[in-house]
Amino acid sequence: MKKPIIAGNWKMNKTNADTKALITELIPLVKDAECEVVCCVPFTDIVTARKAARGTNIKIGAQNVHWAEKGAFTGEISAEMLKELKVTYVITGHSERRQYFAETDETVNKRTKAALAAGLKVIVCVGETLAERESNKTAEVVTRQTIGALADISKQDLKRIVIAYEPVWAIGTGRTATAQDANDTIKIIRRVVRKLYGRASANSLRIQYGGSMNPKNAAELMAMPQIDGGLIGGASLKAEDFAKVVNYNK
Ligand code: 13P
């Protein structure tokens, strides 16, 4: 059985003081969760988050990583730096990175490989824009993004990858993909992975849904056979809301 994974993506929210308060409030609320619980925090909050979550079932992740080992890349963070801070996960290819920071399938792949090489687990995001969906390009886009992100990644390393399907039009808009639509697109993504790695690897890969997932719709989304977790933005910023998503089955 795959263990579902519910991850919060805090984006550019929360100071160190906020981080300590939020994690502390979250700990008792999620301690009996049956899924894996992750908080992907800003780089500057990692140390505080790790310290606050020590000895609990909350794992800490980062939101981006550079592909080079070191060097003249002002403003970037290497996989080694993250590893030293003992983060478990890192997100790559988030649509906000693709949209505002010129992230491409190639750079997403490079970042993913660097993270894997350092021993980290990676949440790789894919998803179509509204214009792409309206011109019936969803399958084409998620196929291209999935193949691109996974280029040159071994079957062994795939075990440390989670894919997050996040339709861009559902992010921060309050507009969720219907559970059926999310399930159908995730099925397409899984089929791509099956072609690349075989049935067993595709079936054991966890694929999350992300985009306005919240306490109200989490149970319905998580009940879909293809959906193995959630990547939560807005609703991960309040302990009570995030805990309700984490405890979707209770
Ligand atoms: P929202 O849950 O705020 O729509 O954000 C989703 C997301 O982008 C998570 O990575």
Side-chain angles (χ1 to χ4, degrees):
M1 268 300 278
K2 284 184 273 190
K3 192 171 188 174
I5 170 168
I6 303 286
N9 173 11
W10 291 8
K11 308 190 180 183
M12 196 174 72
N13 293 290
K14 308 292 178 190
T15 63
N16 266 281
D18 299 336
T19 299
K20 192 171 172 205
L22 176 50
I23 301 268
T24 305
E25 198 185 342
L26 197 56
I27 291 169
L29 304 178
V30 301
K31 69 177 183 359
D32 299 320
E34 283 158 38
C35 60
E36 204 177 347
V37 184
V38 185
C39 291
C40 296
V41 306
F43 291 133
T44 48
D45 293 335
I46 290 172
V47 173
T48 301
R50 276 264 310 140
K51 213 165 165 184
R54 191 170 296 158
T56 74
N57 59 334
I58 301 172
K59 292 174 184 153
I60 303 304
Q63 299 171 12
N64 188 25
V65 59
H66 196 264
W67 55 84
E69 263 175 48
K70 58 168 98 166
F73 300 101
T74 303
E76 291 286 326
I77 303 282
S78 76
E80 271 314 308
M81 292 169 181
L82 294 178
K83 196 180 158 194
E84 189 185 52
L85 299 185
K86 297 195 166 62
V87 308
T88 311
Y89 281 93
V90 60
I91 297 172
T92 60
H94 193 278
S95 63
E96 286 147 19
R97 300 281 324 164
R98 295 179 192 257
Q99 200 178 339
Y100 308 130
F101 302 99
E103 207 74 69
T104 65
D105 291 339
E106 193 194 346
T107 58
V108 173
N109 174 246
K110 285 164 84 169
R111 292 181 199 275
T112 304
K113 285 192 291 195
L116 290 169
L120 300 172
K121 297 181 180 181
V122 188
I123 297 173
V124 183
C125 304
V126 301
E128 82 286 2
T129 62
L130 183 59
E132 288 162 343
R133 164 153 291 241
E134 284 175 344
S135 48
N136 289 318
K137 289 208 174 107
T138 299
E140 183 188 322
V141 170
V142 298
T143 299
R144 191 203 71 226
Q145 290 178 339
T146 304
I147 292 173
L150 297 177
D152 305 319
I153 289 172
S154 69
K155 203 177 208 176
Q156 194 57 31
D157 279 349
L158 185 75
K159 293 183 184 154
R160 283 185 289 126
I161 287 185
V162 174
I163 292 183
Y165 166 57
E166 299 205 313
V168 179
W169 47 270
I171 296 177
T173 58
R175 200 174 145 187
T176 327
T178 66
Q180 190 59 53
D181 278 346
N183 192 74
D184 291 349
T185 308
I186 290 178
K187 203 171 191 172
I188 294 168
I189 296 167
R190 204 179 296 283
R191 199 179 302 141
V192 173
V193 176
R194 189 172 73 216
K195 280 196 189 135
L196 296 170
Y197 296 94
R199 186 176 298 272
S201 298
N203 287 347
S204 50
L205 173 75
R206 291 178 299 175
I207 307 184
Q208 301 169 305
Y209 168 77
S212 299
M213 193 161 161
N214 60 44
K216 287 203 179 82
N217 57 29
E220 190 196 355
L221 287 159
M222 291 301 293
M224 300 308 287
Q226 292 286 335
I227 301 181
D228 306 313
L231 187 56
I232 323 299
S236 73
L237 300 175
K238 271 174 67 186
E240 207 181 313
D241 287 349
F242 188 56
K244 281 186 188 148
V245 178
V246 164
N247 297 316
Y248 64 89
N249 56 344
K250 301 196 172 159

